[in-house]
Amino acid sequence: MGTILKDYSYTPAKVKRGYSGKSLYINVSDLSIEQKEITDFMKEKFTGGKGFDLWYLWHAVTPETRWDSPENEIVMSVGPIGGITQYAGTGKTLVCSISPLTDMPIDSNVGGYFGPLLKFSGWDAFELQGKSEKEILIFIDGNNGRIQIEEAEDLPEDAHLLAEELTKKYAENEDDMVNISVVCTGSVAKHAYMGMLNFSFYDPRRKVCRFKQAARGGLGTILHDKKVKALVVKYRGVKPNLNDAADISTINKVGVKYHKEMHDLDHKQNKMRQIGTANTIMIMSQYDLLPTRNFQMGGDPETVKISPQVFIEEWLTQGLHDGCWYGCTMSCAKCADHFLLTTGPYAGQRVTVDGPEYECAAGLGANLGVFDPQAILEENFYCDTYGIDLISFATCTAFIMECYQRGQITREQMGGLDLRFGNSQAVLELMHLMSRGEGFGKIAGLGIRKLKKVFVEEFGADPQLLQDIGMEVKGLEYSEYAHKESLAQQGGFAMAIKGPQHDEAWLIFMDMVNKQLPTFEDKANALYYFPMFRTWFGLVGLCKLPWNDIVPADNYKTDSPAKVPEHVQNYVDLFNAVTGRNIDKEELIIQSERVYQFQRVFNVRMGKGERKDDYAPYRSLGPVTREEYLSRQELYDKQLRDFQQLDPETMDLDEKIAATRRYREDQYEQLMDAVYRRRGWTENGIPTPERLKEIGMDLPELLEVIEPKL
Amino acid sequence: MIKVNTEDFPWHPGMTVRALLDEKLFTFRHIIVRVNGEFVPEEDYEKQLIQDGDDVLVLHLMAGG
């Protein structure tokens, strides 16, 4: 296979206190390879992970750079804690680039082995720039200090085949296959803006390559545009202290304490070890939070058909270790083994399906009106192997379905696809069309923001309705939580830096159910703390799930149980024990804020990152249609009386909908004001020089960007 | 009338913590219950009576998603 185009030798840097001190730069236009130093400045200001990614990306691009510009980079880094094996969720890689969906930086976190093996091969971060003329693959041999760039013609397009072939190619024998990790996309990436990156890890019990995804924002589309078929890393010899931790004894102690919690409490709490994140499907439906039929409703009686119990008893293999990095006792990466496919190019084959995670079951299930576990698993498989971001696909398809059912587009305009809610066969056919770049599949792959334009300009759809029901902000599709009744979460989505993804803040229970955030200031404070805290996981190489998807038995005794103080202390201890530094909880937040504010300024530099970019579609804030109002009429009528002193008995339905909209949009404006104040931003959403100075980020290049906006 | 998470909720004689959780459709398992500030362990939900005028806090511990 493949002619070697470049053969590069290097001396792998040994990791010291969590950092190798080197980053790898490859330009695939001219096949140049360079080593860069990780400076003390970078560690101080950006910590690692997403921080390093954004810093390199900033220097690679200009305000004119678009996703397919040669200078755009895909940058990835695992962070200083990444790769330890004594605690759960320590193999997360952060990937950044300029997104085809948002035209600004996207960040996406992903498990799998690639990031840790890359670090142990001597690289804290990896920049991929340029565009190759031919399809190539890049192989990094971390044991022998060798990087090869090869021609990659005639390799399979789809991830499950490609990863298996490359894993076998580079492994010396079956035992060696666990030492290989592949990053690739799938056949959709050449036709759609929502192509994602698969990160593989070999499962020796099942004898298959498994995947986790850097899914959001079109990263796979960018990889394909660079004509890079795959990145492969090989490192043999993972062991507990490859990070050369300053205090291994503390890491062991904290790890043992945590693993005991998992063992003793998980079955009483979230059952992550049985079902993974999909444990919340029924709960979300019962609390009116499960996005159903394009976020119109928050649940459906049919959800019982896709309940956790159904997946546990009928589909998911139980009792196997399912961590996506060594040492993860949360073990939430569940699988349906020997699953028989019934459609598409692999119909009739039995495969292992990684999932479903919550987003999959909610998005490809309820939000499309599909309450069929078998169909969800088949959609799940094809999203993964085709390299589709299933969140963008699900939310985008839900939007298309509603447009169709409301007569905004016709079956003929969709090439004959009968994309009504609940028609899983049509959903699968749309995926197959997308993977081949045919018909309506190619149009659907544009994403909601561009689809709205097509539907209005070419199909004559109503622009206001499409604006109201198209669930995207900044060009990125919403992730899968209904949230009309939580003002804080409306902000948590629409004011998230990269677009409406819940990995910054999930405040629905605190706000809507617990009523812990009664004032704008309370909500703004939560919309400061949680994003700053959760950003930190992406700086250091950690998964967010072990933070609060299991909690200590005595967590209830603490002053702020939602923050799980003991686990926060674990994180402080782990960081200090790995790096030898001495941060506290307050410094942890500052580390995050430095990168958070940097990313906001980066958005400003790319022509985004202002108030105008933080508005939500009205479907996020309240009832767009009569059906939605009527579904919660009692609540909405009460709110007219209590909040606006209006008498709903004297109003017709349209008047009630209009009054509710005026009120809710005003509430959202007030929330924006409060959040901007708390985050140290101007009324227009620009970080102030004073705030940047307070956190040590008044760097000249940042001030140059914001000063014209003040 | 009682308060549940700061909002009024109808009370009836014999109301236990379990009955309240059922009436509120609070099905999430990962919760903390406090009645007038006092923590109620899960094993007492069936027998712990709520009195008229009590202030009940039902904290759902999910800030994840």
Side-chain angles (χ1 to χ4, degrees), chain A residues 155-169:
Chain A
L155 285 171
E157 296 274 2
D158 290 330
H160 75 294
L161 300 176
L162 179 59
E164 184 181 338
E165 185 164 329
L166 294 177
T167 300
K168 283 181 179 164
K169 169 182 159 72

Side-chain angles (χ1 to χ4, degrees), chain B:
Chain B
M1 195 67 79
I2 58 174
K3 291 275 186 198
V4 181
N5 292 349
T6 75
E7 292 185 343
D8 288 340
F9 190 77
W11 172 85
H12 57 79
M15 177 187 262
T16 62
V17 168
R18 172 63 64 202
L20 171 66
L21 297 178
D22 290 346
E23 287 173 41
K24 288 289 290 181
L25 302 177
F26 284 165
T27 53
F28 189 53
R29 295 180 70 191
H30 202 178
I31 57 172
I32 292 170
V33 177
R34 291 181 192 276
V35 177
N36 301 323
E38 289 295 315
F39 172 71
V40 181
E42 187 175 354
E43 55 269 28
D44 291 347
Y45 288 176
E46 317 289 342
K47 58 188 177 194
Q48 170 91 35
L49 288 171
I50 293 171
Q51 306 299 329
D52 193 13
D54 277 353
D55 186 358
V56 183
L57 191 63
V58 184
L59 279 185
H60 291 60
L61 290 187
M62 181 170 168

Side-chain angles (χ1 to χ4, degrees), chain A residues 41 163 231 238 253 271 287 307 402 425 432 454 463 483 486-487 498 511 548 557 567 571 607 628 636 660 664:
Chain A
F41 167 85
L231 312 171
V238 172
K253 206 180 303 173
K271 299 183 179 166
Y287 282 77
S307 72
E402 188 175 355
Q425 291 303 304
H432 301 320
V454 171
H483 54 279
S486 169
L487 178 58
K498 70 179 170 200
D511 186 37
N548 57 10
K557 292 178 182 169
H567 287 181
Y571 293 130
E628 286 168 87
Y636 294 142
T660 298
R664 288 185 172 222

Side-chain angles (χ1 to χ4, degrees), chain A residues 354-410:
Chain A
D354 268 283
E357 295 189 30
Y358 166 76
E359 299 290 339
C360 174
L364 297 174
N367 214 11
L368 303 183
V370 172
F371 297 95
D372 173 354
Q374 186 172 354
I376 290 170
L377 284 166
E378 181 133 352
E379 293 165 348
N380 188 159
F381 173 80
Y382 275 113
C383 273
D384 289 354
T385 201
Y386 286 160
I388 307 174
D389 170 12
L390 70 81
I391 294 176
S392 276
F393 178 87
T395 300
C396 188
T397 304
F399 166 71
I400 293 167
M401 287 172 148
E402 188 175 355
C403 286
Y404 174 43
Q405 297 211 219
R406 292 193 183 280
Q408 298 297 309
I409 56 174
T410 66

Side-chain angles (χ1 to χ4, degrees), chain A residues 465-594:
Chain A
L465 177 66
L466 267 55
Q467 180 56 35
D468 285 348
I469 67 173
M471 292 298 284
E472 61 88 11
V473 174
K474 303 178 175 73
L476 189 71
E477 286 75 19
Y478 273 74
S479 59
E480 309 300 333
Y481 291 97
H483 54 279
K484 285 192 190 91
E485 308 315 321
S486 169
L487 178 58
Q489 190 59 35
Q490 293 164 18
F493 275 128
M495 284 184 255
I497 297 281
K498 70 179 170 200
Q501 168 78 3
H502 60 280
D503 58 359
E504 272 198 15
W506 197 94
L507 303 173
I508 303 178
F509 276 172
M510 284 183 78
D511 186 37
M512 186 182 98
V513 183
N514 298 346
K515 310 288 182 190
Q516 291 170 288
L517 308 172
T519 68
F520 289 113
E521 285 66 33
D522 293 327
K523 295 180 204 302
N525 205 36
L527 284 169
Y528 171 78
Y529 175 81
F530 283 93
M532 297 311 165
F533 184 68
R534 294 170 72 151
T535 294
W536 192 78
F537 296 132
L539 304 185
V540 298
L542 294 176
C543 172
K544 69 184 170 61
L545 298 176
W547 169 39
N548 57 10
D549 276 275
I550 178 91
V551 300
D554 59 356
N555 186 55
Y556 69 89
K557 292 178 182 169
T558 63
D559 291 339
S560 46
K563 293 179 181 174
V564 200
E566 185 176 315
H567 287 181
V568 175
Q569 188 59 49
N570 287 353
Y571 293 130
V572 170
D573 292 344
L574 287 174
F575 183 84
N576 290 336
V578 170
T579 63
R581 294 180 59 186
N582 186 27
I583 67 162
D584 56 19
K585 284 181 281 191
E586 286 68 35
E587 176 65 13
L588 181 155
I589 297 294
I590 297 295
Q591 286 181 320
S592 278
E593 186 171 348
R594 290 186 186 117

